[in-house]
Amino acid sequence: KPWSDQVDVISSDGSSSLDSEMQATDESRGTFPAIAVPIERNFQDMTSEGDLIKRAEMYQQYMNQITVPTSRGSLIPFTTWMGLGKSIKQLYRQPLHYLTNVQLRRWDQERIGSGNEDEPLDTIIHPAKAEAMIWLVEEIHRRTSSHYFIANLWKSDPLYHTFVDSVFPDL
């Protein structure tokens, strides 16, 4: 069993903030700065579709530079998918893709009315399996998502920025 090895357990309730000036390290690509520029909350000035496409392209290029961690040594207790995502961001000090964040929210919404929505998820799904699944979904989103697809989703959702971790500069 992959979860029979001894691992450290961290709390998903930790409220420590990420260091916005951190350096992300990727052995295959070297060191690159984590771009910690706040995303505008007012998108009234986003007048052209081309601006949104360019923004999505920059975002996708940046996310594609970050490799998914290969070594995991901590079990993360969690009650919701969004909570697990937040803990993963804190533990590994890297953002999750917009599409992954949206998927985590969707999975939480799918639990409503299931009869076990009040039960902590880590009692239903083993934390190691849940984390591995998130990283698999994350890798798919980082490596294969079209910036045109992302821009189209952003265009249809004026609140898309709530699911984009701050990682790219304004144009």
Side-chain angles (χ1 to χ4, degrees), residues 16-26 30-37 62-63 65-67 69 86-96 135 138 142 165-168:
S16 65
S17 64
L18 293 176
D19 178 10
S20 64
E21 297 300 320
M22 72 178 186
Q23 291 285 318
T25 301
D26 174 343
T31 302
F32 51 95
I35 303 170
V37 176
Y62 180 79
M63 292 303 291
Q65 292 177 13
I66 308 169
T67 56
K86 179 180 177 184
S87 295
I88 285 173
K89 293 175 208 180
Q90 291 173 343
L91 178 64
Y92 296 98
R93 301 181 61 90
Q94 61 173 258
L96 289 178
W135 284 122
E138 179 69 10
R142 288 181 184 180
D165 298 329
S166 296
V167 298
F168 66 98

Side-chain angles (χ1 to χ4, degrees), residues 77-135:
F78 64 105
T79 56
T80 65
W81 289 108
M82 295 278 297
L84 179 56
K86 179 180 177 184
S87 295
I88 285 173
K89 293 175 208 180
Q90 291 173 343
L91 178 64
Y92 296 98
R93 301 181 61 90
Q94 61 173 258
L96 289 178
H97 197 280
Y98 162 78
L99 294 172
T100 303
N101 286 323
V102 169
Q103 184 64 56
L104 296 178
R105 179 189 64 172
R106 213 174 275 142
W107 287 342
D108 280 339
Q109 290 172 337
E110 290 172 9
R111 293 188 68 206
I112 298 170
S114 68
N116 66 5
E117 67 261 25
D118 295 327
E119 201 174 323
L121 266 175
D122 60 4
T123 63
I124 300 168
I125 300 170
H126 192 279
K129 288 182 178 180
E131 183 182 348
M133 184 169 58
I134 288 176
W135 284 122

Side-chain angles (χ1 to χ4, degrees), residues 42-91:
N42 178 5
F43 289 94
Q44 304 289 332
D45 60 346
M46 278 296 226
T47 56
S48 90
E49 188 174 329
D51 289 343
L52 197 56
I53 291 170
K54 184 65 176 167
R55 184 180 286 266
E57 181 179 27
M58 289 173 54
Y59 174 77
Q60 187 61 24
Q61 286 173 350
Y62 180 79
M63 292 303 291
N64 195 32
Q65 292 177 13
I66 308 169
T67 56
V68 170
T70 55
S71 61
R72 298 176 191 94
S74 300
L75 286 181
I76 305 171
F78 64 105
T79 56
T80 65
W81 289 108
M82 295 278 297
L84 179 56
K86 179 180 177 184
S87 295
I88 285 173
K89 293 175 208 180
Q90 291 173 343
L91 178 64

